[in-house]
Every structure is written in structure tokens, then in C-alpha cells.
Amino acid sequence: MEFHQSPPTLGNQYDSDSLLREYLARTLPQELLERFEPEYRALGELNGGELFALSQADLENEPVHTQWDAWGNRIDHVEVTEVWKRAQAISAEHGLVAAGYDESLGSLARVHQHLLNYLVQASLDTYNCPLAMTDGAARTLLDSGNTELIEHALPRLLSRDPKTMWTSGQWMTERIGGSDVGQTETVARQDGDTWRLYGTKWFTSATTADMALTLARPEGNPPGGRGLAMFYLELRDAEGRLQNLHINRLKDKFGTRKLPTAELTLDGVVAQPVAGLQNGVRNITPMLNITRTWNAVAAVIGMRRAIALTRDYAEKREAFGAKLIDKPLHVDTMADTVAESQGAFLLAFRVVELLGRIEAGEASESEELFSRLLTPIGKLTTGKQAVSIASEALESFGGAGYVNDTGLSRLLADAQVLPIWEGTTNVLSLDTLRALKQEGVWEAFVQEIGARFESSKDARLSAAVERGRAATQHAGQWLGSALPERELLEAGARRFAMTLGRVAELALLCDHAQWCLDHGKGERALAAARRFARSRIDLIEDDDFMSESRLLVD
């Protein structure tokens, strides 16, 4: 009989996630856990069952852009996939954006929101991207104080009715600008009492959105970021036709191919200033904080999916006389990825927790300062981890991981965008340095990390705690010595930021392991903390390698 390998399958993604259930028991009050657990379990079942099957069956389908109709009319219609159509309804019905604004939950609104997304998004083919921008738009409008736009747009952005819920775009990237949005070339011109925008947005990931927030330079304004203004626009008229907006093409991307990313030309689009006619970069910053938080959660979603598939396959695949799960080297390799993913989960959700506490007015001054630092660190650290774990997962499948029709290669292709979107690793490393210019930020970091290590009393955690404390001390020493030398500081920013991220993950892992030991949850978390501590935590180099760096790249 001819052999055929069984593909990996998934079960309920709530019931099979021990770290998630530990986190819930620790974080949510019992009454909230009892209230939300049926929904969590239902989403976990949907994610690992029906939606996973639909996503696998729909592998070859991608968005289709139809520029003209049969009679020569410019329509620029984008037909999305079946998974995306299903995702639109799920997002509204389960409040995947709205839950974050449920005031009755106080500081836990953000935790609940991102738990919902964590439990379902892995099978929704990157639909978390438009939701991240929708959430960012809602937060940005609220922070702007523009009552007219808040009353008009917010009920739609936060609707739980699939027929009325809007999604939003975030249009900043241009050919000349990239991360340097101060070079934005889109122009805003006044036409009577109306503002109209003219220019090209090179990379927009919400082509099917109902509205967008974008940057443009009002005519006569000075160059640079301060001369930009943030504008609100709606893409379509009452009949659903694009308004003075053209889709030039959908991007041919390496990954996230289910997401209709496009180049757009704004040819007199009617827009409305959101918060004055200057300081657009500063005014749109709340959106970046939200989308970077979503990016960190997306990273742990991807890691969780990669590990779940790898684990199932290891139970099925036999080689050299035994199943992979019984091969010591394979198990050892998998253990490294599990430890990394668990550190990433705790880091991402600490960012989420801080966001919720700040928005609810419950954060201390120290927590606010810590959040300013942890948000970019959380995004850059988890983004790099997601790529590494996806790559390891593909390798564990051998050749099956490298062919497209298994769907496994998408794990790596989709992960690769995470260190790029919402600020590359280097951009966020420099943002980390900017955050530390604010008085009290470093002290807030040391205070929280120190408290986590202090709580980790079990003797089996002592080596991990000492490694974390040593790395924290080294990071502080390096920062103090590098501050006077701008070139040295910038050159080492990436290693410094990654060290802070890995120290934070280790501290959170140790603290969680102690909680699990104290509450009878077993030693799985202890094993994760000890395993993670044996990886490289301190990435900082004391020597000045700038001359060598220039020699190598020149």
C-alpha cells in the first residue's frame, strides 16, 4: 500500500493553550472569566476547526482588482476572498475592535479585546491588519477632540452590526518617504470651504476600507513633519463608488497575499482636517501606538499557529523508526520555540495591559513611562521572534514546509512583514532611545523588571533571575557610557533595544513561573523560564565596532 503522510490538523485553540488558560486565571476576575470563557472556547473551536478548513481550502484565492467595467467605466472594484467576507461578520459580531472600548470592563477592556483576536485571527488570513487600523483610527479620533468626526465615525468604527461596521485605513507610506513620513508629497488644496488631496500613496493596506486617516501638506506649509496635517476622508459615495480616488494596482507581495494592499492616487479627494493644519505626525501618533500593539499580538498569534501545527505533525510523522515527538533532538528544538513564544506572549500582553490601564485612567506615572518604552520594544522583539519561529516550523516539516500548496510556507511569508510594518526594527530601536530621553523612563523600566525578578523566589529560578539582573545592569551601564557619543549610541541601538526586550520577556517568564508554582499550575512555566534564560539575553557589545562596520559595508 502506498504511503501518504497525514497533514497537520488543529483542535480547539482555547482548550489546547495551557499558557493562555494560566494567563486568564491570573489576569481576569473569576466573574469575568466565567462570563467570557464560553466565547473564548467557541472562538478557539472556530479557529482550529471550520475557519482553519476554510482557509486551507481557499489557499489559492487572492483579492482581484477589476479596474474597468464592461462599458469602459472606471470602477476599481476589489473582490476579497471568502475568508475575508466571513471575517468581516465575525469582527463585528464578536467586537474585535469594539471590545477594546467597553468602558464597563475598565482597564481589562484591551486585554479582553486582544484575547478575542488571539483566539481567532490565525485562521482569518491577516484580517487583523484592517482591524488594527480601524482601532487606531478610533483612538486617534477620540484623542483629537474633534467632536463632529467622533460623533459621525466612531459609532460606525465600533459597531457590532456587520451591516454598519466600518473599517479604516492608515495612509502614510509614499514612494519618497517610507518610514520618514516627513517627506510626504501629498498636497492639500483648499477649494472654497472644501479641502482636496492630491498625491500618491505607495503602500496602503486597507483598500476596501470605508474611511481613512492620512497625512498631507496644506499648500504653503513648511517642509518636514510639522508642516503636515492629518486628514479624514471617506472612500466612497452613497452608491459605493470611489470618490476622486484611483487604485493603480494591487501590490505583488511576498506574504500577506490575502490582504489587498494597493497603490492609490488621490485626485482631488474631499478630506477634512482632524486637528488643525500642522503637526500631523504628532497627531497621528496614537494610531501608531495602537497598531504597534496589534503587531505584537499578531506576532504571538503567528507563533502559536506555527507551534500548534508543528506539535500535531510531530505526533503523526514517523522517521527512522519513531515518531518525531519521540526524537530527543526534535523535542529539544521544539522546546526552544515554545519558550520563545511564551516569552513573546507575556511581553505582548503586558503592552496590552498597560494600554488598557492608561486609557482607563488607572495607570500610575511609572506605568505610563514604562509603556512609552515597552510599546516599541514589544513590537520589535516579537516581530523578530515570529520570523525565527516560523522558519524553524517550516524546517520541522522538511520539504512539505517549503512547498506552497501545503499552506505552511505562508507561516514564514506572513511573519516576515511583522518586523517591517509599523516601523522597522531599526526605526523602533531609535524610538526606544527617544523614549529614554524622557525623565524617569529608564527608572520605570528598572523598577518593573526588578519587581518581577524579586517576586521569583523559587531556587530553581535563581540562575535565570541573575542572568536577567546582570543584563539589565549591563544595559544601563552601556546607555550611560554611549549617551555622549551619538554615532556609538545609534550604532548600538538595535542590540540595546533587543536586550531590553529579551530581559523583559525573561522577567515576565520568571514572574509567571513563580505564580504557577504558587497556585498549583505545575512546572511547565518554570521549564519555559529556565529554557529561555539559557538563550542569549544580553546582546550588547561594549567595544566600538563602528570602524569595522564601515569597513565591511563600504
Side-chain angles (χ1 to χ4, degrees), residues 38-79:
E39 184 176 20
Y40 294 160
R41 181 167 280 113
L43 287 176
E45 183 63 32
L46 199 60
N47 184 9
E50 181 184 347
L51 287 177
F52 178 61
L54 178 59
S55 179
Q56 289 295 102
D58 203 38
L59 278 177
E60 295 184 3
N61 293 326
E62 296 181 2
V64 176
H65 172 214
T66 302
Q67 204 164 27
W68 310 92
D69 71 8
W71 302 97
N73 299 302
R74 183 76 182 261
I75 56 172
D76 280 327
H77 173 71
V78 176
E79 185 69 20

Side-chain angles (χ1 to χ4, degrees), residues 173-298:
T173 305
E174 299 191 2
R175 284 185 294 252
I176 193 173
S179 296
D180 185 2
V181 295
Q183 297 191 62
T184 294
E185 293 182 327
T186 298
V187 174
R189 296 177 184 148
Q190 204 158 11
D191 179 13
D193 294 331
T194 301
W195 284 94
R196 294 184 179 274
L197 307 185
Y198 299 85
T200 298
K201 297 296 180 180
W202 189 75
F203 198 96
T204 64
S205 289
T207 315
T208 56
D210 302 277
M211 58 157 282
L213 296 180
T214 188
L215 296 176
R217 194 178 312 280
E219 282 189 316
N221 270 21
R226 293 185 65 182
L228 295 173
M230 179 172 62
F231 286 88
Y232 164 95
L233 62 88
E234 294 178 13
L235 279 70
R236 292 168 179 81
D237 60 19
E239 284 72 44
R241 296 172 298 202
L242 291 175
Q243 305 181 87
N244 297 326
L245 180 69
H246 304 300
I247 299 175
N248 301 332
R249 59 170 175 161
L250 296 184
K251 292 292 196 181
D252 185 8
K253 297 171 294 177
F254 172 53
T256 65
R257 295 185 66 88
K258 303 290 187 171
L259 170 65
T261 304
E263 288 180 27
L264 302 178
T265 294
L266 286 64
D267 188 21
V269 176
V270 174
Q272 183 175 341
V274 177
L277 296 176
Q278 288 188 325
N279 298 313
V281 175
R282 184 180 68 190
N283 291 329
I284 210 168
T285 296
M287 174 172 273
L288 295 177
N289 289 334
I290 296 295
T291 55
R292 287 171 179 175
T293 301
W294 276 77
N295 201 98
V297 175

